[in-house]
Amino acid sequence: MIKIKTPEEIELMRESALVVSKTLGMLAAEIKPGVNALFLDKLAEEFIREQGAEPGFLGMYDFPNTLNMSPNAQVVHGIPTKEPLKEGDIISVDCGALKNGFYGDHAYTFEVGEVAPETRKLLKVAKESLYLGIREFRVGKRVGDVAYAIQNHCEKHGYGIVRELVGHGLGRKLHESPEMPNYGKRGRGKKFVEGLVVAIEPMINMGTKNIKQLKDGWTILTADGMPSAHFEHNVAIVNGKPELLSTFQYIYKALGIVSNEEDEFRQKKLQL
């Protein structure tokens, strides 16, 4: 059952989402060769609690950490380790926070030092597909419209779209209806309505769409060992249109990147 949010609840969800956004921005300055994911995980837990929130993933479904950290061929749900990051790696950092009774949940795939051109292209296309999907998230459109936009863009570049893992509704629970797959047909699936809040999250593989799971019961990898990219935003329908609750601007500020990619999805200016 889809749970519609009031304008007041959406503003509370924005607070939760921005805790995650600020956490990812803090981590952006720390992700570099030689740093390990477990160290970053501890920083994130402390930072989230300092923001008056609780880590959203820690203990959920018995997950042992604050962050899902998935380098290179890991798609999602990676468990942080002491293995140091290396020059040329990429790493998806997926973070959740619970504040005011609502969840924020989004992700960004970071470059570690200088990465290969073909890997940088994968990240670029995957992030582009996220915004193409968000553009379709508006009153009267359907789940399949978002899914098709993501799939069409990524498959044009020869990339594999993970089928088994999807985005989702978001609210007082981390995972609510509807499911938001990254592949599908236009005009299919549940119709979007005012007040719906979702997490849209393309998971895009450089090679095959097929995946496998490690024996730890969590970590998902590409079946062919090629890199995977993962980007995620939290989005509400406000006045019939997509309104970003999360932002990558804290990340960009830390990395010295100038971008206006989010502007069309904000009805009022974000105050950093």
Side-chain angles (χ1 to χ4, degrees), residues 48-66:
I48 289 168
R49 295 191 190 282
E50 288 170 359
Q51 304 298 306
E54 298 175 21
F57 298 167
L58 183 61
M60 181 168 284
Y61 313 125
D62 295 324
F63 187 74
N65 294 90
T66 293

Side-chain angles (χ1 to χ4, degrees), residues 194-210:
E194 182 77 9
L196 179 59
V197 181
V198 299
I200 298 175
E201 51 178 319
M203 289 159 274
I204 311 301
N205 300 342
M206 185 179 286
T208 179
K209 67 180 185 296
N210 299 325

Side-chain angles (χ1 to χ4, degrees), residues 5 9-19 21 103 106 170 196-198 233-238 242-247 265-266 270:
K5 311 304 186 297
E9 288 174 328
I10 287 173
E11 289 310 307
L12 291 176
M13 292 194 69
R14 192 191 304 273
E15 288 186 35
S16 302
L18 289 177
V19 169
S21 300
Y103 282 93
H106 46 285
L170 191 68
L196 179 59
V197 181
V198 299
H233 265 312
N234 301 155
V235 198
I237 295 183
V238 177
E243 169 76 9
L244 274 182
L245 305 183
S246 54
T247 182
F265 307 114
R266 295 201 187 281
L270 179 70

Side-chain angles (χ1 to χ4, degrees), residues 23-37 39-41 43-44 47 69 85 91 93 110-113 251 254-255:
T23 304
L24 293 176
M26 178 274 295
L27 292 171
E30 303 290 338
I31 294 174
K32 59 191 71 171
V35 172
N36 71 70
F39 168 76
L40 297 170
D41 184 76
L43 288 181
F47 187 85
M69 302 196 75
L85 297 172
I91 185 164
V93 181
F110 293 89
E111 301 177 18
V112 183
I251 295 171
L255 299 179

Side-chain angles (χ1 to χ4, degrees), residues 2-270:
I2 291 178
K3 296 183 178 179
I4 303 306
K5 311 304 186 297
T6 65
E8 293 76 18
E9 288 174 328
I10 287 173
E11 289 310 307
L12 291 176
M13 292 194 69
R14 192 191 304 273
E15 288 186 35
S16 302
L18 289 177
V19 169
V20 178
S21 300
K22 292 172 183 177
T23 304
L24 293 176
M26 178 274 295
L27 292 171
E30 303 290 338
I31 294 174
K32 59 191 71 171
V35 172
N36 71 70
L38 202 55
F39 168 76
L40 297 170
D41 184 76
K42 296 300 182 187
L43 288 181
E45 180 180 353
E46 293 171 3
F47 187 85
I48 289 168
R49 295 191 190 282
E50 288 170 359
Q51 304 298 306
E54 298 175 21
F57 298 167
L58 183 61
M60 181 168 284
Y61 313 125
D62 295 324
F63 187 74
N65 294 90
T66 293
L67 301 173
N68 293 160
M69 302 196 75
S70 309
N72 302 320
Q74 293 185 19
V75 181
V76 287
H77 301 165
I79 297 175
T81 71
K82 291 183 178 179
E83 181 74 21
L85 297 172
K86 302 186 302 296
E87 183 84 15
D89 284 348
I90 57 172
I91 185 164
S92 163
V93 181
D94 194 354
C95 180
L98 177 63
K99 185 175 183 180
N100 300 320
F102 290 96
Y103 282 93
D105 166 28
H106 46 285
Y108 191 89
T109 300
F110 293 89
E111 301 177 18
V112 183
E114 289 293 322
V115 306
E118 59 270 23
T119 304
R120 185 172 290 115
K121 180 184 175 185
L122 170 68
L123 269 56
K124 177 177 181 290
V125 171
K127 185 149 66 71
E128 287 171 349
S129 78
L130 170 63
Y131 291 109
L132 289 171
I134 291 171
R135 196 171 290 140
E136 299 295 317
F137 183 62
R138 55 183 64 241
V139 168
K141 293 276 193 172
R142 294 181 181 269
V143 167
D145 297 312
V146 172
Y148 175 83
I150 293 169
Q151 179 182 11
N152 182 58
H153 186 65
C154 293
E155 287 187 345
K156 282 194 302 187
H157 293 273
Y159 297 144
I161 316 297
V162 174
R163 261 61 171 177
E164 295 86 346
L165 302 160
V166 298
H168 50 89
L170 191 68
R172 292 190 180 277
K173 293 184 178 180
L174 182 63
H175 298 114
E176 296 186 354
S177 183
E179 290 191 342
M180 297 290 295
N182 298 305
Y183 68 98
K185 295 183 178 179
R186 286 176 175 153
R188 301 285 182 87
K190 293 185 183 297
K191 185 178 286 189
F192 301 138
V193 296
E194 182 77 9
L196 179 59
V197 181
V198 299
I200 298 175
E201 51 178 319
M203 289 159 274
I204 311 301
N205 300 342
M206 185 179 286
T208 179
K209 67 180 185 296
N210 299 325
I211 58 174
K212 57 185 179 180
Q213 188 174 46
L214 290 184
K215 292 181 180 179
D216 63 17
W218 283 102
T219 307
I220 303 296
L221 301 118
T222 60
D224 58 7
M226 295 186 75
S228 183
H230 175 216
F231 293 92
E232 178 180 14
H233 265 312
N234 301 155
V235 198
I237 295 183
V238 177
N239 298 323
K241 300 182 293 186
E243 169 76 9
L244 274 182
L245 305 183
S246 54
T247 182
F248 294 153
Q249 291 300 320
Y250 292 101
I251 295 171
Y252 296 157
K253 185 176 181 180
L255 299 179
I257 296 170
V258 176
S259 170
N260 62 358
E261 66 193 12
E262 299 178 359
D263 288 359
E264 68 176 285
F265 307 114
R266 295 201 187 281
Q267 296 180 37
K268 55 184 178 181
K269 189 173 181 180
L270 179 70

